[in-house]
Amino acid sequence: MHDNIFAAPRDRIGDFSFDDTVASVFPDMIKRSVPGYSNIVSAIGMFTGKFSKPGTALYDLGCSLGACTIEMKRYAAENCRVIGIDNSEAMVSRAKEIVKGYKGNAEVSIITGDITDFDFEPSSVMVLNFVLQFIEPAKRKALLKKIADALVPGGILILSEKFRFPDEKIQDTLFNLHLDFKRANGYSELEISQKRTSLENVLISDDIPTHISRLKECGFSHADVWYQCFNFGSIIAIK
Ligand code: GEK
């Protein structure tokens, strides 16, 4: 379904939420809004193929409609369980149906829950694909520490985010290229500006050095960017 949620002028713009309206247009919205999204999702399958260890849990944290869950299911090692978690019931009920239609090596469970308040089983691959940016900044470090603690040695976290850049010129340039990307994908100036207002208090991005140093402080031995397109990208962190 085509995303035209912000197409009509609104008197009052509330905070963005992952409700039923958003869930119903989500695949279209994320592909037209996040540069590199499809490349990252398919690469998450390849990372799963390389790093998943037999008998471990694989987590898709903030799974939305299960795009990454599907790739992880396809490439999982033997006897793995893929667990998708999201706190939006609208996303979870749809994801359960969607994921059923895809083949793979692993059993999948999709669970409604808050990832900041979840006890993870020993895991070899964990994914936060454009999710940490929606977690309250004060809770981010504790979540990453819990993820690192749950990972077996050599296990990975794939952390994809919208980045902020400390250099103002780079920030402006990449920010404006992202707006061009949205225009090229058919979003109007009104849609872009209303969505931006709605996300203002909800999506709070960090810069790359903050991500990398925090991951190391949380117990990861290695962390670096493996993909970037404008101000969006993805980090691999290895325990
Ligand atoms: C994808 N990973 O398609 N606990 C659980 N879920 C949460 C929480 C939380 N505390 N906070 C936010 N979410 C997906 C895309 S979308 C990214 C992820 C975007 C969930 C929220 O309900 C939403 O489904 C998801 O995180 C973010 O690869 O829309 O830009």
Side-chain angles (χ1 to χ4, degrees):
M1 234 169 82
H2 189 72
D3 167 27
N4 56 13
I5 291 177
F6 290 98
R10 296 187 183 186
D11 295 337
R12 200 194 134 270
I13 300 172
D15 279 350
F16 189 84
S17 88
F18 292 96
D19 57 15
D20 209 59
T21 314
V22 168
S24 69
V25 300
F26 190 73
D28 180 69
M29 170 186 279
I30 196 152
K31 276 187 207 119
R32 288 164 65 214
S33 309
V34 175
Y37 173 76
S38 304
N39 290 342
I40 293 173
V41 170
S42 50
I44 282 170
M46 298 174 74
F47 281 117
T48 302
K50 212 166 183 55
F51 287 93
S52 63
K53 293 205 165 61
T56 60
L58 315 177
Y59 286 99
D60 183 8
L61 305 172
C63 61
S64 298
L65 299 184
C68 299
T69 309
I70 290 165
E71 293 303 313
M72 295 165 84
K73 176 182 183 182
R74 182 175 295 156
Y75 288 97
E78 275 165 45
N79 299 320
C80 284
R81 213 155 66 86
V82 181
I83 301 146
I85 307 171
D86 205 290
N87 64 357
S88 156
E89 188 51 51
M91 291 290 190
V92 167
S93 57
R94 285 175 169 79
K96 281 183 178 163
E97 290 309 308
I98 295 170
V99 168
K100 269 190 210 159
Y102 289 84
K103 291 205 177 86
N105 296 329
E107 198 190 296
V108 175
S109 339
I110 308 280
I111 298 170
T112 308
D114 183 339
I115 56 170
T116 62
D117 184 27
F118 200 87
D119 288 325
F120 302 119
E121 293 165 35
S123 171
S124 53
V125 178
M126 295 178 99
V127 170
L128 279 169
N129 204 38
F130 302 105
V131 176
L132 193 67
Q133 61 200 19
F134 293 109
I135 303 292
E136 225 179 283
K139 292 188 173 172
R140 292 180 186 178
K141 194 163 181 184
L143 171 61
L144 292 169
K145 175 88 175 64
K146 258 173 78 168
I147 291 174
D149 288 348
L151 283 169
V152 298
I156 59 163
L157 167 67
I158 299 296
L159 171 62
S160 312
E161 289 275 288
K162 180 178 189 177
F163 298 131
R164 191 169 55 74
F165 294 85
D167 182 317
E168 234 175 85
K169 181 79 181 165
I170 301 290
Q171 170 63 26
D172 282 358
T173 305
L174 299 182
F175 176 84
N176 285 312
L177 278 159
H178 176 230
L179 294 189
D180 290 344
F181 172 88
K182 293 188 77 163
R183 290 179 188 115
N185 285 332
Y187 284 115
S188 68
E189 297 307 318
L190 181 68
E191 284 177 292
I192 291 172
S193 87
Q194 295 195 131
K195 173 128 186 233
R196 195 177 153 200
T197 306
S198 153
L199 280 171
E200 210 147 38
N201 305 313
V202 179
L203 192 170
I204 299 162
S205 40
D206 291 318
D207 58 32
I208 294 172
T210 301
H211 279 296
I212 303 290
S213 57
R214 186 171 50 201
L215 287 164
K216 300 264 174 80
E217 286 162 18
C218 289
F220 287 94
S221 308
H222 312 270
D224 214 335
V225 175
W226 66 269
Y227 184 91
Q228 192 178 329
C229 184
F230 308 136
N231 47 347
F232 288 77
S234 189
I235 291 170
I236 176 172
I238 309 178
K239 187 169 171 188

